Amino acid sequence: MANRTSAGRSGNIGSAIINALLLYGINIWPGWQVLPFLTADMARALGLINASLIAGIVVNLVCVLIRSRALLALGNLVVIGIGVAAMLRLWDVFPFDFGTAWSGWPILVRVFLVLGIVGSIIGAVVELVNLFRALAGLEPRAR
């Protein structure tokens, strides 16, 4: 069990670092503006994207300090919820302009957004089950 705990903690730290690097890269250097296919409307979705990354950092760092399956599941539900809101905002704003490139890009991006939303909903159901199992004191299934 010690290896599983240390692996979980290092995974939480790694996830927090990756989210922090993404937050820095999107907002500071080089910034989302360097991507030629993003329009100024990206600023309308940026708040939720940043909120999702920040929530991920907070949840992962809290879970390094407090090892609780219920807390992890609850934190993951929050992060997933904000992430879905960010993807829905991207769908609504659609801050992408692919110019004269392949005409299928807009459809492909929308397909990926739908896959992300559906996958997140499935992940939320899994985290709800994990939360209820943890609150009921049931052990996780062996893998």
Side-chain angles (χ1 to χ4, degrees):
M1 189 66 107
N3 288 339
R4 188 172 178 181
T5 302
S6 62
R9 284 194 172 120
S10 63
N12 289 124
I13 292 169
S15 292
I17 290 170
I18 289 171
N19 282 351
L21 290 172
L22 285 169
L23 195 61
Y24 181 81
I26 290 169
N27 293 283
I28 298 172
W29 185 85
W32 64 268
Q33 300 90 342
V34 301
L35 297 174
F37 58 86
L38 291 177
T39 68
D41 284 337
M42 180 63 176
R44 293 175 48 203
L46 201 56
L48 283 170
I49 293 168
N50 287 339
S52 178
L53 292 170
I54 292 167
I57 293 168
V58 170
V59 166
N60 280 294
L61 292 179
V62 166
C63 287
V64 166
L65 301 172
I66 303 168
R67 298 306 294 177
S68 164
R69 289 183 342 185
L71 182 63
L72 177 62
L74 185 60
N76 285 341
L77 280 168
V78 170
V79 173
I80 289 169
I82 299 170
V84 168
M87 287 184 280
L88 290 171
R89 177 70 55 89
L90 283 170
W91 179 279
D92 184 46
V93 172
F94 206 73
F96 307 101
D97 181 5
F98 300 104
T100 59
W102 177 55
S103 63
W105 281 116
I107 293 169
L108 188 61
V109 170
R110 291 217 187 254
V111 166
F112 282 130
L113 284 171
V114 167
L115 289 173
I117 292 166
V118 169
S120 294
I121 291 168
I122 293 168
V125 170
V126 169
E127 291 302 338
L128 274 172
V129 170
N130 288 339
L131 177 61
F132 288 129
R133 288 180 59 84
L135 293 174
L138 300 172
E139 290 297 317
R141 288 165 60 208
R143 294 181 185 204

